[in-house]
Amino acid sequence: MPKNHHPEDVKAEVRKTGITLAELARQNKMAAVTGRRCLYEPCPRMNQVIADRLGRTVHDLWPEWFDRNNKRISRFHRENTSAAPALSCQKEAAA
């Protein structure tokens, strides 16, 4: 399975377009911290904003989190196929 791009590489690519991750998040009505957090855990909305800014797909940047159709790979599937813990910026429903 391909690995996600390194967070610092994605951050640098965004900076080269003339904007910070925090500014990009705020422009899209999200908290500034979401810009950084989405490099380390899936935040589909912000991941898509970054991919659009870079002219790439979310799958291209984060193949561990998004399938070839740019759909979010389920947490269950990732937990059973990877040793890394599954994280999500989506709040989980209370049980």
Side-chain angles (χ1 to χ4, degrees):
M1 172 191 263
K3 297 287 183 191
N4 288 348
H5 279 66
H6 191 281
E8 290 299 320
D9 292 337
V10 175
K11 180 179 170 183
E13 280 189 60
V14 171
R15 289 285 293 158
K16 288 177 185 177
T17 70
I19 196 168
T20 66
L21 289 168
E23 291 170 325
L24 189 58
R26 284 191 296 265
Q27 281 183 1
N28 287 277
K29 301 189 183 347
M30 289 179 262
V33 70
T34 305
R36 291 187 308 275
R37 189 173 62 206
C38 77
L39 298 177
Y40 299 96
E41 59 187 72
C43 299
R45 186 170 160 223
M46 187 64 195
N47 292 126
Q48 187 63 59
V49 167
I50 291 171
D52 291 346
R53 179 78 182 196
L54 299 177
R56 316 260 297 267
T57 66
V58 290
H59 171 73
D60 181 39
L61 295 171
W62 298 284
E64 294 177 46
W65 300 340
F66 298 92
D67 67 17
R68 292 188 187 281
N69 297 318
N70 297 312
K71 301 291 182 200
R72 182 82 162 73
I73 297 172
S74 74
R75 169 180 273 184
F76 176 77
H77 177 73
R78 282 194 332 274
E79 287 176 348
N80 288 319
T81 59
S82 172
L87 302 171
S88 176
C89 69
Q90 304 288 325
K91 290 188 177 184
E92 294 186 30

